[in-house]
Amino acid sequence: MSKQIHLVSFLINSPINHTVLSWAAPGDNRLEALHDLKMWQDLARTLERGRFDGIFFADTPGVFDRYRDSYADAVRYGVCWPSLDPVVLLSALAAATTHLGLATTMSTSSYQPWTIVRQLGTIDYLSGGRAGWNIVTGHLRGEHRALGLEQLDHDRRYDRADEYMEVCYKLWNSVKPGAILADRKSGVFADPEKVEFIDHRGEFFSCQTVAPVPPSPQGRPVLFQAGSSGRGQQFAVSHADVVFSIQPNVPGMKLFKANLEDAAQAAGQKTPGVSFGIQPIVGGTEEEAKRKLADLVERLPIDGCLARLSGTMGVDFAGMGLDQPLADIETQASQGLMKAFANIEGDKPLTLREVAIRWGLAVGKPQIVGTPEQVANRMEDIWRETGCYGYNITPTVMASSVEEFVDEVVPILQKKGIYRTEYEGTTFRANLGLE
């Protein structure tokens, strides 16, 4: 367990974060934020005021097109469409903040290793060491169809990703200490003897070059990973600084952590810290918070929820009965997530309708609903019971739900002595306690 709770804001650069049709909620500003950098910069400054470790963007390249074998419902309800590039947005947020970490999901299916090292390395270098990368192998069919790529099966994608990371490490380590001279008098910028030429020729990748970007103060971007399957956890313990996981309840969180520890021990690796996804819903009273949740549920279009669920799980749920249990469905998409959510309330299997609603609300993340004190207390209880590193927090209505959390819940966590009052360092790695 970490000494203090670490918090990262979990967002998507689209009409919604993780709650379907939240853009239609009274007071939500996401539609305006799609074309207004200032709103995003204001949000980043709010998170920095709340001493968050970072802002973290999920990404959905392509479009959700599994449900009814069509993109129509994703487009109709704005379910992560349009999908704007979060990497471009991070550059603007770097300019508006001084401590906040800047992380994004980038798929090993969509980008070459050199491209990711260059793009994230540029942000990392310009921001003084505040970039992070959530490594995903790309399970969305829409992503592969958009790029004209063949989709490998689940475990094979991780085999490819292992080699992908091998290339990234070579590039990150290409520029040795003391390589950059920048000597105006002699006109020598760098010592070529200290810049290693990479000659990688593997099963999946070929790369012959030198690093495109010098190392930042934190060396390389912080690495996040979110694999839930057995193969995904093998990859995570080999590469991740922090593992992010979506689990529906505390027993699921504890089981995930135990499995990750087993995977790390089997690989002879240190177990990375785990950050669990949650969705706080804060009200002046418990009843007010519950009304907020009820309003979100009432607004959910079931077809929009199923479009989101089908895209992530890699299964077209259109031909299945909504009130039948969701269980034992094979998928080449998110196998760990499918297993986690087929049965999440004891031995009672959830129906497809119940799972779709939970997915439409927060992609399966548990809600913590109540007054600021109740939310803070529950966060502390889960942190202590699971031994987790902290939380990836997804908001509901933007930006008011973020502001409520920062202004009302954060001070309680600080008063408890379990959350920072000032940043410990200037890099993402330092503030996450990874140095």
Side-chain angles (χ1 to χ4, degrees):
M1 186 172 73
S2 56
K3 293 180 180 179
Q4 291 187 322
I5 291 175
H6 290 270
L7 299 180
V8 173
S9 183
F10 190 25
L11 309 168
I12 305 175
N13 192 6
S14 82
I16 64 171
N17 289 308
H18 294 93
T19 302
V20 172
L21 223 64
S22 58
W23 58 264
D28 189 272
N29 72 355
R30 285 307 291 271
L31 298 184
E32 292 76 15
L34 288 177
H35 55 80
D36 188 344
L37 279 175
K38 183 178 181 299
M39 289 189 175
W40 284 109
Q41 290 175 325
D42 288 343
L43 178 70
R45 283 188 282 261
T46 297
L47 294 169
E48 194 164 71
R49 176 165 58 82
R51 303 297 187 264
F52 271 57
D53 289 280
I55 188 168
F56 179 108
F57 284 92
D59 194 23
T60 51
V63 65
F64 290 121
D65 61 359
R66 284 281 190 181
Y67 184 57
R68 296 174 175 164
D69 199 25
S70 170
Y71 65 89
D73 287 297
V75 170
R76 178 176 293 112
Y77 298 111
V79 182
C80 301
W81 186 89
S83 176
L84 280 68
D85 191 336
V87 181
V88 176
L89 180 56
L90 289 182
S91 297
L93 303 187
T97 55
T98 57
H99 291 87
L100 191 70
L102 308 160
T104 185
T105 296
M106 296 182 79
S107 166
T108 59
S109 295
S110 295
Y111 302 89
Q112 288 293 313
W114 184 87
T115 304
I116 281 187
V117 169
R118 185 187 188 210
Q119 288 186 323
L120 288 183
T122 299
I123 294 172
D124 203 30
Y125 193 64
L126 285 173
S127 67
R130 293 192 283 134
W133 173 25
N134 179 38
I135 310 162
V136 298
T137 61
H139 68 271
L140 297 177
R141 184 180 76 170
E143 173 185 351
H144 290 78
R145 294 173 74 174
L147 296 170
L149 300 174
E150 178 185 356
Q151 187 168 8
L152 301 176
D153 67 29
H154 180 274
D155 286 5
R156 191 63 171 155
R157 289 201 306 272
Y158 278 110
D159 295 340
R160 180 179 180 274
D162 277 324
E163 186 184 334
Y164 193 108
M165 296 308 299
E166 182 182 348
V167 178
C168 289
Y169 293 130
K170 289 178 178 179
L171 290 168
W172 283 323
N173 295 328
S174 171
V175 181
K176 307 303 180 184
I180 307 300
L181 302 174
D183 189 331
R184 286 185 169 93
K185 186 175 180 179
S186 67
V188 176
F189 179 76
D191 180 355
E193 296 297 320
K194 295 183 178 180
V195 180
E196 182 180 353
F197 188 85
I198 304 305
D199 186 9
H200 179 92
R201 303 171 193 269
E203 179 182 0
F204 298 99
F205 299 101
S206 179
C207 182
Q208 293 82 43
T209 188
V210 298
V213 182
S216 79
Q218 67 173 356
R220 59 159 172 77
V222 174
L223 302 181
F224 296 86
Q225 216 282 319
S228 298
S229 66
R231 182 65 180 90
Q233 289 195 345
Q234 290 174 20
F235 182 84
V237 299
S238 297
H239 304 291
D241 297 308
V242 178
V243 171
F244 165 57
S245 178
I246 295 174
Q247 298 295 323
N249 49 32
V250 169
M253 294 175 185
K254 294 168 76 172
L255 179 61
F256 177 89
K257 277 202 80 238
N259 289 339
L260 188 68
E261 289 167 359
D262 289 344
Q265 184 175 9
Q269 301 283 349
K270 178 182 176 182
T271 306
V274 179
S275 179
F276 288 116
I278 60 171
Q279 186 181 59
I281 300 177
V282 183
T285 64
E286 185 176 351
E287 290 71 25
E288 179 186 343
K290 289 179 177 179
R291 281 199 304 272
K292 288 183 177 182
L293 175 58
D295 289 343
L296 293 171
V297 173
E298 185 177 357
R299 192 177 293 109
L300 291 173
I302 190 65
D303 287 330
C305 297
L306 287 167
R308 183 75 168 93
L309 181 66
S310 293
T312 302
M313 298 299 187
V315 176
D316 183 0
F317 291 105
M320 305 180 189
L322 286 175
D323 297 312
Q324 294 180 354
L326 177 71
D328 301 327
I329 300 177
E330 293 186 4
T331 172
Q332 288 299 324
S334 270
Q335 293 184 356
L337 287 175
M338 176 69 84
K339 183 177 180 180
F341 287 90
N343 295 279
I344 67 173
E345 292 183 350
D347 295 327
K348 177 191 174 186
L350 292 182
T351 66
L352 175 57
R353 185 191 307 275
E354 291 169 328
V355 173
I357 289 173
R358 290 170 187 241
W359 214 255
L361 275 173
V363 195
K365 291 181 288 296
Q367 287 87 29
I368 300 180
V369 184
T371 65
E373 292 79 8
Q374 288 174 320
V375 170
N377 289 342
R378 185 58 182 151
M379 289 176 64
E380 180 182 9
D381 290 343
I382 294 173
W383 174 62
R384 295 190 184 281
E385 186 172 354
T386 64
C388 69
Y389 208 68
Y391 301 102
N392 275 25
I393 296 179
T394 189
T396 52
V397 177
M398 291 283 288
S400 59
S401 60
V402 176
E403 294 164 349
E404 288 168 351
F405 185 88
V406 166
D407 292 336
E408 299 174 25
V409 179
V410 163
I412 298 172
L413 296 174
Q414 291 172 328
K415 187 175 181 180
K416 288 171 172 284
I418 58 174
Y419 187 67
R420 70 163 63 91
T421 56
E422 297 294 340
Y423 285 104
E424 295 83 3
T426 59
T427 68
F428 200 6
R429 188 174 303 279
N431 287 322
L432 282 167
L434 300 175
E435 292 185 343

